[in-house]
Amino acid sequence: MNRVLVVEDESHLAEGLRFNLEAEGYEVETVDTGEAALEKLHEGMAFDVLILDVMLPGRDGFGVMTEMRQTGLLVPTLMLTARGHSDDVLRGFEAGADDYLTKPFDLAILIARIRGLLRRRNWLQPPAAPAASARKPEDVFTFGVDSDKWVNFDSLELWVRNQVFRLTLMEANLLRFMIEHEGKPVSRKSMLQKVWSLQEDTDTRPIDNFIVRLRRYLEDDPKTPKHLLTVRGVGYQFVAVPA
Ligand code: CA
């Protein structure tokens, strides 16, 4: 049975979620503060999905997400953001959330999103050894002067200098989008629309933070990038094999 942790301070909403998710066959725990959520996670309670409200008393959803990331607590997370706060969405992804819904949301959509997170959950677990016949070709892109860097979009692992970095889903989506446009400048607005499905009037600054983070992973010297170049007045450009 899949276990869901709901972090929501509006008790009627938390209980509504519990009732409906239990009816769908999930085991549900609810807490009403970020601190209580972190306590449960630190205690080692295993959850398959976290539903995390942004607006919480005390530590908010961003704070919870940030601590989870810093302490390696990897649970697929869907954030609940307030309507009209599209910047919250980017902040949430920046903090490491995997998906989001804007309140008020349709329950059928929430359940579909949870199923989506459960399907992607495999990348958070150590790979089991599948039977050779069942193994699918992996979605891997190799780059770098000596083909010494590669990213596996199935496992969300990025290998650079014999080091492995675990990307968040959104870091991986952004990197894939850049790779798909290899050699061409990509505007911040098109990243917002295609990677995050956000309107173009959203603040684009968080994108720069995503790029800074990707550079830290994949550049030999993040201060003089060779793969993720800045294109002044436009955005960024990915170069697979620097000259
Ligand atoms: Ca709230």
Side-chain angles (χ1 to χ4, degrees), residues 8-10 53 55-56 103:
E8 172 57 74
D9 59 314
E10 289 165 64
D53 188 28
M55 307 264 266
L56 294 166
K103 287 179 169 181

Side-chain angles (χ1 to χ4, degrees), residues 7 27 39 50 92 103-104 111 126 141 206 242:
V7 191
E27 198 178 312
E39 210 168 291
L50 179 66
K103 287 179 169 181
I111 286 164
F141 180 81

Side-chain angles (χ1 to χ4, degrees), residues 187-203:
S187 72
R188 291 180 180 81
K189 289 195 188 312
S190 67
M191 294 178 190
L192 271 183
Q193 288 173 327
K194 305 288 188 208
V195 180
W196 285 275
S197 304
L198 291 173
Q199 298 305 310
E200 56 176 67
D201 58 358
T202 309
D203 181 6

Side-chain angles (χ1 to χ4, degrees), residues 92-131:
F93 283 136
E94 233 185 346
D98 300 293
D99 202 353
Y100 76 96
L101 270 182
T102 305
K103 287 179 169 181
F105 50 83
D106 187 295
L107 200 66
I109 292 178
L110 175 80
I111 286 164
R113 297 290 185 83
I114 290 176
R115 290 207 187 103
L117 286 175
L118 288 170
R119 274 198 302 275
R120 298 189 213 120
R121 160 185 64 164
N122 297 339
W123 25 264
L124 299 174
Q125 292 163 349

